């Protein structure tokens, strides 16, 4: 199946694009996608996953819903889903 992956801020800089099409197996989860991204892009290695979970302060959304409020890394995906990945944001 095919997903649309969207990247923001420093993650967009690492990937070099605002969004990309990403092919995954039919039974793929958010965790599968994040592991693939860390393997594919050196600048994302170790920045998305910590101790088997989405790294604290990293926001991952499936079709606009935060995956921590779904099934976290085990959140299943469907063809055409949009997965958005936001880095930690500092400010004040």
């Amino acid at each position: 199946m095919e997903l649309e992956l969207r990247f923001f801020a420093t993650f967009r800089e690492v990937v070099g694009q605002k969004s990309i099409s990403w092919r995954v197996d039919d039974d793929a989860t958010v965790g599968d996608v994040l592991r693939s991204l860390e393997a594919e892009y050196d600048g994302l290695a170790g920045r998305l996953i910590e101790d088997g979970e989405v790294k604290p302060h990293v926001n991952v959304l499936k079709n606009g819903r935060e995956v921590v409020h779904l099934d976290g890394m085990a959140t299943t995906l469907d063809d055409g889903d949009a997965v958005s990945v936001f880095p930690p944001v500092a400010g004040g």
Side-chain angles (χ1 to χ4, degrees):
M1 70 180 151
E2 192 161 325
L3 308 172
E4 178 185 4
L5 304 185
R6 301 173 183 165
F7 302 94
F8 297 86
T10 56
F11 291 166
R12 181 181 293 173
E13 292 172 16
V14 169
V15 174
Q17 300 180 71
K18 178 172 139 176
S19 66
I20 59 174
S21 293
W22 196 262
R23 293 204 57 79
V24 295
D25 293 336
D26 288 343
D27 60 349
T29 64
V30 166
D32 296 329
V33 170
L34 297 181
R35 283 186 287 277
S36 294
L37 287 170
E38 283 195 341
E40 179 74 21
Y41 296 97
D42 289 338
L44 294 180
R47 296 181 66 190
L48 304 176
I49 301 169
E50 182 177 279
D51 297 327
E53 298 297 329
V54 176
K55 198 164 188 168
H57 308 295
V58 170
N59 295 307
V60 179
L61 285 67
K62 172 190 169 183
N63 300 326
R65 293 194 62 205
E66 177 65 62
V67 299
V68 297
H69 301 299
L70 300 171
D71 290 321
M73 294 280 281
T75 300
T76 58
L77 298 166
D78 297 305
D79 190 47
D81 279 348
V83 176
S84 303
V85 186
F86 296 83
V89 178

